[in-house]
Amino acid sequence: MSKAKLKKELDKLDKEQLVQLVLDFYTVNKTAKDYFEFFLDPDISKLREKYTAVIDKEIVRKKWGNTKARFTVIRKAVRDFESYGVGPEHVVKLMIHALQAGLTAEYILHATSAFVNGMEKLVTDIIKYGDKNEIYSTALSQLDTTLTEAHGTKRFVKHLRAVAGLD
């Protein structure tokens, strides 16, 4: 169903029916419940903590000393966080957190090629997102600071700096 068609159908409902529809949606759908709770009490730091925990849990996945982080899960967490309309600067902060967590994991565990590819894509995603949302210089500055103060191996950090075009 298109937005226009949905709008037409919603226009047909009176206030009481619309309230009931929203309450039913709130009850049935966990994502809707989270959204409405954020809408009523917009605490960005609490929301960021929730998605930071999702990212941290994913980053530390391992098997036999190898990282098993799924970057699709990390990118989905970032997209979900962004869907709350929190503002691009907060989204970049979450992406930078994912990068920092990934660098720490790379320092402790063996990085698989999939992990390296995921980290490379994360670096380019930060740059593209910053450019798309007109905060390129802020995103690049945060990326540079993160890679300068990184806890990853020097070789890997140098590689990511090259991917970002910082060297």
Side-chain angles (χ1 to χ4, degrees):
M1 176 184 291
S2 69
K3 271 185 165 179
K5 189 172 182 179
L6 177 62
K7 186 174 178 357
K8 284 180 184 178
E9 291 299 317
L10 291 174
D11 284 339
K12 293 177 186 177
L13 301 176
D14 64 18
K15 182 180 178 182
E16 189 175 304
Q17 290 173 318
L18 195 56
V19 168
Q20 188 59 45
L21 179 69
V22 169
L23 289 174
D24 290 345
F25 191 53
Y26 178 87
T27 305
V28 175
N29 191 313
K30 169 108 172 78
T31 305
K33 182 178 181 180
D34 291 346
Y35 179 79
F36 284 123
E37 286 176 0
F38 179 75
F39 178 76
L40 297 173
D41 181 24
D43 186 358
I44 294 174
S45 61
K46 183 179 173 185
L47 186 66
R48 187 173 44 240
E49 284 176 19
K50 174 185 172 184
Y51 286 101
T52 296
V54 170
I55 289 169
D56 290 347
K57 182 179 177 184
E58 191 58 37
I59 286 288
V60 298
R61 289 182 76 236
K62 64 182 178 179
K63 184 175 183 180
W64 298 330
N66 294 322
T67 60
K68 290 294 182 183
R70 297 168 296 185
F71 280 87
T72 53
V73 172
I74 294 167
R75 282 193 291 280
K76 182 181 183 313
V78 170
R79 278 193 316 273
D80 290 349
F81 180 70
E82 181 184 20
S83 73
Y84 286 87
V86 294
E89 64 280 354
H90 297 289
V91 176
V92 167
K93 283 182 186 176
L94 186 66
M95 295 169 93
I96 291 292
H97 173 78
L99 180 66
Q100 290 169 332
L103 287 167
T104 302
E106 183 272 338
Y107 187 73
I108 297 168
L109 302 168
H110 178 264
T112 62
S113 60
F115 183 84
V116 172
N117 293 341
M119 289 290 283
E120 290 172 351
K121 180 146 178 45
L122 182 59
V123 167
T124 58
D125 286 350
I126 292 168
I127 294 169
K128 288 177 184 177
Y129 186 83
D131 188 36
K132 178 180 139 191
N133 290 282
E134 299 176 0
I135 58 167
Y136 177 79
S137 60
T138 304
L140 197 60
S141 170
Q142 289 181 14
L143 182 61
D144 186 29
T145 302
T146 300
L147 291 174
T148 301
E149 299 169 355
H151 294 290
T153 58
K154 289 181 182 180
R155 181 175 175 219
F156 188 58
V157 171
K158 186 176 180 181
H159 172 71
L160 291 179
R161 289 184 68 78
V163 168
L166 296 171
D167 279 340

